[in-house]
Amino acid sequence: MEEQDKSLHVSQLSLENVISRLPKTLQDCVNEFKTEEQRLIALSAITALTGSLMPDVQIRYADKIEHPFLYLLISMPPASGKGSLNLLHKLIEGINVKMRMENEDAMMAYKREVKVIEDLKDKSIPLPKAPRQPLHLIPGNTTSSKLNEQLAENDGIIGSLILETETDGLTLMLSNKMGEANSVLFRKAFHHEFDSQLRKRKGEHLIISRPKLAIIVSGTPVHIKGMFKGNEDGLFSRFMIVSGNSPLEWMDVRPTKGEVSLDEKFKGYGKNFTSLFDHFKGRRLEVMFSEYQWDKINSIGEDYMLQAVEEAGEYASSIGKRHAGMICRVATIFTAIRHFEAGSTSETLYCSGGDFESAIWLVDQSFNNSLAVFKTLKGKKSKGISKKEDFFKKLPDSFSLSEVDCLMSDLKVKRRTASRYILQLREEGRLECIGYPRYRKVAS
């Protein structure tokens, strides 16, 4: 029966299926991790990190231009593998070191030019404008003022990334006296919305015309809840969520003979990520989806939204809506990596069926995790009206999947929703599988 029931799941893929079909750039990194928890964390985090390296890659979603920048929150118990995120710094170390050196050179040249003009003591000669100082990696414990300043420096040049293995810095940013302003900035940045700030001290008007920000942060469930004010906090729905348990299993910690350390391996992989960054520097690529894929995105989005409201109330509807968009962003990252690996110069590229299904699987995991975490946040607890009970009542005592098509039409539920109801009824012990595809009600 276990094998038969798998046919009802929205995606029949497994984590290992998804990893096996990843672009090589991602797959090589993920395969360095051993446990299921570590591999899922690595897959999600490296995908989000890679998206931050392609600022001019875009998709059209709801007739608006979006970019594949993700917010990722990893909620795991202590000692569950979150610390492996530190290795991700090795992947972008070369990019950020080179950027800091270029910034220093530009600033030194600027200061020399200023000194030459000042030595002339001719006030009619205007001083040069200070060079912009773009930086890809932004510390999570930075001040609100510095965050705005750095996003303005990066605007139109590169994407920005906040990568923190502990939530403390980000929690502080969201809870201090500027917490609301930071939350608003993060919420707007997710959708690349215009932001500006007038700074009294320096008389500057900072403009962030199109912010492109990725966030990767991890922490324990208790710390994660501290990041958000409650279930009405719109910032939460913008995050993909990875959650799970720490396996009670000791791992062999002895060094592997003949192998270099993971630090060295990831430093080596970093060269490929630097090449990917250079490949997309100033290169515009639009990722396209087929009509079938758009139909599926719409269908999944509607089901996400209804499920969220049914299980967690109206405030959860935004989780469903935004996760549909995340499918496009994740699929775009996979597709763009293939553009890089092929050395392509094309300005458009269609997403493959395999990458599309992998993106759905990854976002499905996040959606279910998001609902579970949402229910633990402070705030009003409510559930929406579910059609599951009506669906169950109208089911015949024994039926096959094809026989519920009329019922789906009557209740206006999609096959994905009907499949979810059947799975839930099975888990509740109210339906049993008597040989796929036949089911029957269990006598109460």
PDB file of all heavy atoms in Angstrom, residues 367-392:
ATOM      1  N   PHE A 367       6.644  25.159   1.542  1.00  0.00           N
ATOM      2  CA  PHE A 367       5.262  25.560   1.813  1.00  0.00           C
ATOM      3  C   PHE A 367       4.715  24.843   3.045  1.00  0.00           C
ATOM      4  O   PHE A 367       4.129  25.470   3.941  1.00  0.00           O
ATOM      5  CB  PHE A 367       4.383  25.275   0.590  1.00  0.00           C
ATOM      6  CG  PHE A 367       2.927  25.518   0.837  1.00  0.00           C
ATOM      7  CD1 PHE A 367       2.434  26.815   0.971  1.00  0.00           C
ATOM      8  CD2 PHE A 367       2.036  24.463   0.959  1.00  0.00           C
ATOM      9  CE1 PHE A 367       1.091  27.049   1.215  1.00  0.00           C
ATOM     10  CE2 PHE A 367       0.694  24.691   1.194  1.00  0.00           C
ATOM     11  CZ  PHE A 367       0.221  25.983   1.320  1.00  0.00           C
ATOM     12  N   ASN A 368       4.901  23.546   3.105  1.00  0.00           N
ATOM     13  CA  ASN A 368       4.395  22.782   4.255  1.00  0.00           C
ATOM     14  C   ASN A 368       5.116  23.176   5.545  1.00  0.00           C
ATOM     15  O   ASN A 368       4.502  23.275   6.608  1.00  0.00           O
ATOM     16  CB  ASN A 368       4.534  21.281   3.985  1.00  0.00           C
ATOM     17  CG  ASN A 368       3.578  20.802   2.907  1.00  0.00           C
ATOM     18  OD1 ASN A 368       2.402  21.156   2.918  1.00  0.00           O
ATOM     19  ND2 ASN A 368       4.068  20.045   1.947  1.00  0.00           N
ATOM     20  N   ASN A 369       6.425  23.415   5.443  1.00  0.00           N
ATOM     21  CA  ASN A 369       7.183  23.868   6.620  1.00  0.00           C
ATOM     22  C   ASN A 369       6.707  25.251   7.073  1.00  0.00           C
ATOM     23  O   ASN A 369       6.608  25.520   8.277  1.00  0.00           O
ATOM     24  CB  ASN A 369       8.681  23.929   6.300  1.00  0.00           C
ATOM     25  CG  ASN A 369       9.287  22.558   6.071  1.00  0.00           C
ATOM     26  OD1 ASN A 369       8.784  21.559   6.558  1.00  0.00           O
ATOM     27  ND2 ASN A 369      10.368  22.506   5.316  1.00  0.00           N
ATOM     28  N   SER A 370       6.417  26.114   6.109  1.00  0.00           N
ATOM     29  CA  SER A 370       5.977  27.477   6.430  1.00  0.00           C
ATOM     30  C   SER A 370       4.660  27.467   7.194  1.00  0.00           C
ATOM     31  O   SER A 370       4.481  28.210   8.165  1.00  0.00           O
ATOM     32  CB  SER A 370       5.818  28.308   5.156  1.00  0.00           C
ATOM     33  OG  SER A 370       7.055  28.509   4.537  1.00  0.00           O
ATOM     34  N   LEU A 371       3.736  26.622   6.759  1.00  0.00           N
ATOM     35  CA  LEU A 371       2.455  26.525   7.465  1.00  0.00           C
ATOM     36  C   LEU A 371       2.657  26.043   8.898  1.00  0.00           C
ATOM     37  O   LEU A 371       2.040  26.552   9.832  1.00  0.00           O
ATOM     38  CB  LEU A 371       1.509  25.578   6.727  1.00  0.00           C
ATOM     39  CG  LEU A 371       0.842  26.104   5.458  1.00  0.00           C
ATOM     40  CD1 LEU A 371      -0.149  25.078   4.919  1.00  0.00           C
ATOM     41  CD2 LEU A 371       0.123  27.424   5.717  1.00  0.00           C
ATOM     42  N   ALA A 372       3.550  25.058   9.053  1.00  0.00           N
ATOM     43  CA  ALA A 372       3.798  24.516  10.396  1.00  0.00           C
ATOM     44  C   ALA A 372       4.400  25.586  11.313  1.00  0.00           C
ATOM     45  O   ALA A 372       3.981  25.723  12.473  1.00  0.00           O
ATOM     46  CB  ALA A 372       4.731  23.310  10.299  1.00  0.00           C
ATOM     47  N   VAL A 373       5.370  26.353  10.808  1.00  0.00           N
ATOM     48  CA  VAL A 373       5.990  27.404  11.624  1.00  0.00           C
ATOM     49  C   VAL A 373       5.006  28.539  11.872  1.00  0.00           C
ATOM     50  O   VAL A 373       4.926  29.082  12.982  1.00  0.00           O
ATOM     51  CB  VAL A 373       7.269  27.940  10.953  1.00  0.00           C
ATOM     52  CG1 VAL A 373       7.849  29.110  11.754  1.00  0.00           C
ATOM     53  CG2 VAL A 373       8.319  26.835  10.828  1.00  0.00           C
ATOM     54  N   PHE A 374       4.217  28.886  10.856  1.00  0.00           N
ATOM     55  CA  PHE A 374       3.231  29.969  10.980  1.00  0.00           C
ATOM     56  C   PHE A 374       2.291  29.714  12.157  1.00  0.00           C
ATOM     57  O   PHE A 374       1.936  30.639  12.898  1.00  0.00           O
ATOM     58  CB  PHE A 374       2.431  30.087   9.679  1.00  0.00           C
ATOM     59  CG  PHE A 374       1.383  31.159   9.694  1.00  0.00           C
ATOM     60  CD1 PHE A 374       1.703  32.462   9.368  1.00  0.00           C
ATOM     61  CD2 PHE A 374       0.068  30.860  10.033  1.00  0.00           C
ATOM     62  CE1 PHE A 374       0.731  33.461   9.376  1.00  0.00           C
ATOM     63  CE2 PHE A 374      -0.906  31.849  10.045  1.00  0.00           C
ATOM     64  CZ  PHE A 374      -0.575  33.148   9.717  1.00  0.00           C
ATOM     65  N   LYS A 375       1.889  28.460  12.327  1.00  0.00           N
ATOM     66  CA  LYS A 375       0.943  28.120  13.397  1.00  0.00           C
ATOM     67  C   LYS A 375       1.538  28.303  14.789  1.00  0.00           C
ATOM     68  O   LYS A 375       0.811  28.363  15.777  1.00  0.00           O
ATOM     69  CB  LYS A 375       0.466  26.675  13.229  1.00  0.00           C
ATOM     70  CG  LYS A 375      -0.369  26.449  11.973  1.00  0.00           C
ATOM     71  CD  LYS A 375      -0.630  24.967  11.756  1.00  0.00           C
ATOM     72  CE  LYS A 375      -1.278  24.714  10.408  1.00  0.00           C
ATOM     73  NZ  LYS A 375      -1.455  23.272  10.137  1.00  0.00           N
ATOM     74  N   THR A 376       2.873  28.407  14.878  1.00  0.00           N
ATOM     75  CA  THR A 376       3.514  28.593  16.185  1.00  0.00           C
ATOM     76  C   THR A 376       3.747  30.068  16.508  1.00  0.00           C
ATOM     77  O   THR A 376       4.138  30.394  17.625  1.00  0.00           O
ATOM     78  CB  THR A 376       4.876  27.864  16.238  1.00  0.00           C
ATOM     79  OG1 THR A 376       5.818  28.548  15.388  1.00  0.00           O
ATOM     80  CG2 THR A 376       4.750  26.415  15.812  1.00  0.00           C
ATOM     81  N   LEU A 377       3.528  30.949  15.529  1.00  0.00           N
ATOM     82  CA  LEU A 377       3.758  32.375  15.757  1.00  0.00           C
ATOM     83  C   LEU A 377       2.639  32.982  16.603  1.00  0.00           C
ATOM     84  O   LEU A 377       1.509  32.490  16.603  1.00  0.00           O
ATOM     85  CB  LEU A 377       3.854  33.119  14.427  1.00  0.00           C
ATOM     86  CG  LEU A 377       4.990  32.719  13.486  1.00  0.00           C
ATOM     87  CD1 LEU A 377       4.897  33.501  12.177  1.00  0.00           C
ATOM     88  CD2 LEU A 377       6.346  32.931  14.137  1.00  0.00           C
ATOM     89  N   LYS A 378       2.954  34.053  17.298  1.00  0.00           N
ATOM     90  CA  LYS A 378       1.955  34.749  18.111  1.00  0.00           C
ATOM     91  C   LYS A 378       0.886  35.346  17.202  1.00  0.00           C
ATOM     92  O   LYS A 378       1.148  35.694  16.060  1.00  0.00           O
ATOM     93  CB  LYS A 378       2.626  35.865  18.916  1.00  0.00           C
ATOM     94  CG  LYS A 378       3.568  35.387  19.990  1.00  0.00           C
ATOM     95  CD  LYS A 378       4.144  36.562  20.770  1.00  0.00           C
ATOM     96  CE  LYS A 378       5.012  37.456  19.893  1.00  0.00           C
ATOM     97  NZ  LYS A 378       5.651  38.561  20.662  1.00  0.00           N
ATOM     98  N   GLY A 379      -0.323  35.495  17.763  1.00  0.00           N
ATOM     99  CA  GLY A 379      -1.390  36.123  16.996  1.00  0.00           C
ATOM    100  C   GLY A 379      -2.662  35.321  17.051  1.00  0.00           C
ATOM    101  O   GLY A 379      -2.732  34.258  17.674  1.00  0.00           O
ATOM    102  N   LYS A 380      -3.685  35.836  16.378  1.00  0.00           N
ATOM    103  CA  LYS A 380      -4.978  35.159  16.366  1.00  0.00           C
ATOM    104  C   LYS A 380      -4.860  33.824  15.646  1.00  0.00           C
ATOM    105  O   LYS A 380      -4.263  33.721  14.583  1.00  0.00           O
ATOM    106  CB  LYS A 380      -6.019  36.027  15.653  1.00  0.00           C
ATOM    107  CG  LYS A 380      -6.336  37.323  16.383  1.00  0.00           C
ATOM    108  CD  LYS A 380      -7.339  38.140  15.584  1.00  0.00           C
ATOM    109  CE  LYS A 380      -7.630  39.469  16.268  1.00  0.00           C
ATOM    110  NZ  LYS A 380      -8.567  40.300  15.472  1.00  0.00           N
ATOM    111  N   LYS A 381      -5.425  32.804  16.255  1.00  0.00           N
ATOM    112  CA  LYS A 381      -5.422  31.482  15.651  1.00  0.00           C
ATOM    113  C   LYS A 381      -6.811  31.205  15.070  1.00  0.00           C
ATOM    114  O   LYS A 381      -7.817  31.297  15.757  1.00  0.00           O
ATOM    115  CB  LYS A 381      -5.079  30.394  16.692  1.00  0.00           C
ATOM    116  CG  LYS A 381      -3.711  30.576  17.347  1.00  0.00           C
ATOM    117  CD  LYS A 381      -2.583  30.365  16.346  1.00  0.00           C
ATOM    118  CE  LYS A 381      -1.215  30.300  17.009  1.00  0.00           C
ATOM    119  NZ  LYS A 381      -0.788  31.579  17.590  1.00  0.00           N
ATOM    120  N   SER A 382      -6.844  30.915  13.790  1.00  0.00           N
ATOM    121  CA  SER A 382      -8.128  30.628  13.152  1.00  0.00           C
ATOM    122  C   SER A 382      -7.915  29.680  11.980  1.00  0.00           C
ATOM    123  O   SER A 382      -6.816  29.539  11.465  1.00  0.00           O
ATOM    124  CB  SER A 382      -8.787  31.914  12.662  1.00  0.00           C
ATOM    125  OG  SER A 382      -7.997  32.510  11.646  1.00  0.00           O
ATOM    126  N   LYS A 383      -8.981  29.036  11.589  1.00  0.00           N
ATOM    127  CA  LYS A 383      -8.927  28.183  10.411  1.00  0.00           C
ATOM    128  C   LYS A 383     -10.011  28.628   9.448  1.00  0.00           C
ATOM    129  O   LYS A 383     -11.075  29.099   9.861  1.00  0.00           O
ATOM    130  CB  LYS A 383      -9.135  26.715  10.783  1.00  0.00           C
ATOM    131  CG  LYS A 383      -7.933  26.068  11.448  1.00  0.00           C
ATOM    132  CD  LYS A 383      -8.107  24.567  11.540  1.00  0.00           C
ATOM    133  CE  LYS A 383      -6.853  23.900  12.101  1.00  0.00           C
ATOM    134  NZ  LYS A 383      -6.986  22.433  12.146  1.00  0.00           N
ATOM    135  N   GLY A 384      -9.740  28.481   8.196  1.00  0.00           N
ATOM    136  CA  GLY A 384     -10.730  28.833   7.198  1.00  0.00           C
ATOM    137  C   GLY A 384     -11.727  27.706   7.009  1.00  0.00           C
ATOM    138  O   GLY A 384     -11.702  26.686   7.701  1.00  0.00           O
ATOM    139  N   ILE A 385     -12.605  27.900   6.044  1.00  0.00           N
ATOM    140  CA  ILE A 385     -13.620  26.881   5.754  1.00  0.00           C
ATOM    141  C   ILE A 385     -13.028  25.881   4.775  1.00  0.00           C
ATOM    142  O   ILE A 385     -12.579  26.236   3.691  1.00  0.00           O
ATOM    143  CB  ILE A 385     -14.876  27.536   5.159  1.00  0.00           C
ATOM    144  CG1 ILE A 385     -15.469  28.529   6.175  1.00  0.00           C
ATOM    145  CG2 ILE A 385     -15.893  26.493   4.760  1.00  0.00           C
ATOM    146  CD1 ILE A 385     -16.580  29.389   5.615  1.00  0.00           C
ATOM    147  N   SER A 386     -13.002  24.629   5.178  1.00  0.00           N
ATOM    148  CA  SER A 386     -12.444  23.577   4.322  1.00  0.00           C
ATOM    149  C   SER A 386     -13.571  22.821   3.628  1.00  0.00           C
ATOM    150  O   SER A 386     -14.648  22.621   4.191  1.00  0.00           O
ATOM    151  CB  SER A 386     -11.619  22.600   5.170  1.00  0.00           C
ATOM    152  OG  SER A 386     -11.235  21.495   4.389  1.00  0.00           O
ATOM    153  N   LYS A 387     -13.315  22.410   2.409  1.00  0.00           N
ATOM    154  CA  LYS A 387     -14.280  21.602   1.664  1.00  0.00           C
ATOM    155  C   LYS A 387     -14.036  20.116   1.878  1.00  0.00           C
ATOM    156  O   LYS A 387     -14.715  19.288   1.278  1.00  0.00           O
ATOM    157  CB  LYS A 387     -14.199  21.947   0.168  1.00  0.00           C
ATOM    158  CG  LYS A 387     -14.614  23.374  -0.169  1.00  0.00           C
ATOM    159  CD  LYS A 387     -14.499  23.639  -1.659  1.00  0.00           C
ATOM    160  CE  LYS A 387     -14.910  25.074  -1.991  1.00  0.00           C
ATOM    161  NZ  LYS A 387     -14.750  25.362  -3.443  1.00  0.00           N
ATOM    162  N   LYS A 388     -13.062  19.806   2.737  1.00  0.00           N
ATOM    163  CA  LYS A 388     -12.696  18.394   2.915  1.00  0.00           C
ATOM    164  C   LYS A 388     -13.861  17.572   3.456  1.00  0.00           C
ATOM    165  O   LYS A 388     -14.103  16.450   2.998  1.00  0.00           O
ATOM    166  CB  LYS A 388     -11.489  18.268   3.835  1.00  0.00           C
ATOM    167  CG  LYS A 388     -10.976  16.829   3.971  1.00  0.00           C
ATOM    168  CD  LYS A 388      -9.685  16.757   4.744  1.00  0.00           C
ATOM    169  CE  LYS A 388      -9.889  17.004   6.215  1.00  0.00           C
ATOM    170  NZ  LYS A 388      -8.652  16.799   6.990  1.00  0.00           N
ATOM    171  N   GLU A 389     -14.604  18.128   4.441  1.00  0.00           N
ATOM    172  CA  GLU A 389     -15.708  17.376   5.037  1.00  0.00           C
ATOM    173  C   GLU A 389     -16.816  17.134   4.024  1.00  0.00           C
ATOM    174  O   GLU A 389     -17.375  16.031   3.949  1.00  0.00           O
ATOM    175  CB  GLU A 389     -16.249  18.104   6.272  1.00  0.00           C
ATOM    176  CG  GLU A 389     -15.290  18.102   7.460  1.00  0.00           C
ATOM    177  CD  GLU A 389     -14.805  16.696   7.833  1.00  0.00           C
ATOM    178  OE1 GLU A 389     -15.629  15.764   7.871  1.00  0.00           O
ATOM    179  OE2 GLU A 389     -13.591  16.540   8.045  1.00  0.00           O
ATOM    180  N   ASP A 390     -17.121  18.158   3.223  1.00  0.00           N
ATOM    181  CA  ASP A 390     -18.130  17.968   2.170  1.00  0.00           C
ATOM    182  C   ASP A 390     -17.655  16.929   1.169  1.00  0.00           C
ATOM    183  O   ASP A 390     -18.432  16.083   0.701  1.00  0.00           O
ATOM    184  CB  ASP A 390     -18.389  19.287   1.435  1.00  0.00           C
ATOM    185  CG  ASP A 390     -19.236  20.252   2.246  1.00  0.00           C
ATOM    186  OD1 ASP A 390     -19.872  19.799   3.219  1.00  0.00           O
ATOM    187  OD2 ASP A 390     -19.249  21.450   1.922  1.00  0.00           O
ATOM    188  N   PHE A 391     -16.387  17.000   0.841  1.00  0.00           N
ATOM    189  CA  PHE A 391     -15.773  16.049  -0.094  1.00  0.00           C
ATOM    190  C   PHE A 391     -15.918  14.622   0.447  1.00  0.00           C
ATOM    191  O   PHE A 391     -16.327  13.712  -0.272  1.00  0.00           O
ATOM    192  CB  PHE A 391     -14.303  16.419  -0.280  1.00  0.00           C
ATOM    193  CG  PHE A 391     -13.532  15.540  -1.221  1.00  0.00           C
ATOM    194  CD1 PHE A 391     -13.634  15.701  -2.593  1.00  0.00           C
ATOM    195  CD2 PHE A 391     -12.681  14.548  -0.729  1.00  0.00           C
ATOM    196  CE1 PHE A 391     -12.913  14.887  -3.469  1.00  0.00           C
ATOM    197  CE2 PHE A 391     -11.963  13.732  -1.589  1.00  0.00           C
ATOM    198  CZ  PHE A 391     -12.076  13.908  -2.967  1.00  0.00           C
ATOM    199  N   PHE A 392     -15.613  14.452   1.738  1.00  0.00           N
ATOM    200  CA  PHE A 392     -15.672  13.117   2.353  1.00  0.00           C
ATOM    201  C   PHE A 392     -17.109  12.603   2.390  1.00  0.00           C
ATOM    202  O   PHE A 392     -17.373  11.433   2.069  1.00  0.00           O
ATOM    203  CB  PHE A 392     -15.093  13.174   3.762  1.00  0.00           C
ATOM    204  CG  PHE A 392     -15.124  11.853   4.487  1.00  0.00           C
ATOM    205  CD1 PHE A 392     -14.347  10.788   4.064  1.00  0.00           C
ATOM    206  CD2 PHE A 392     -15.956  11.670   5.591  1.00  0.00           C
ATOM    207  CE1 PHE A 392     -14.376   9.561   4.721  1.00  0.00           C
ATOM    208  CE2 PHE A 392     -15.996  10.454   6.255  1.00  0.00           C
ATOM    209  CZ  PHE A 392     -15.205   9.402   5.821  1.00  0.00           C
TER     210      PHE A 392
END
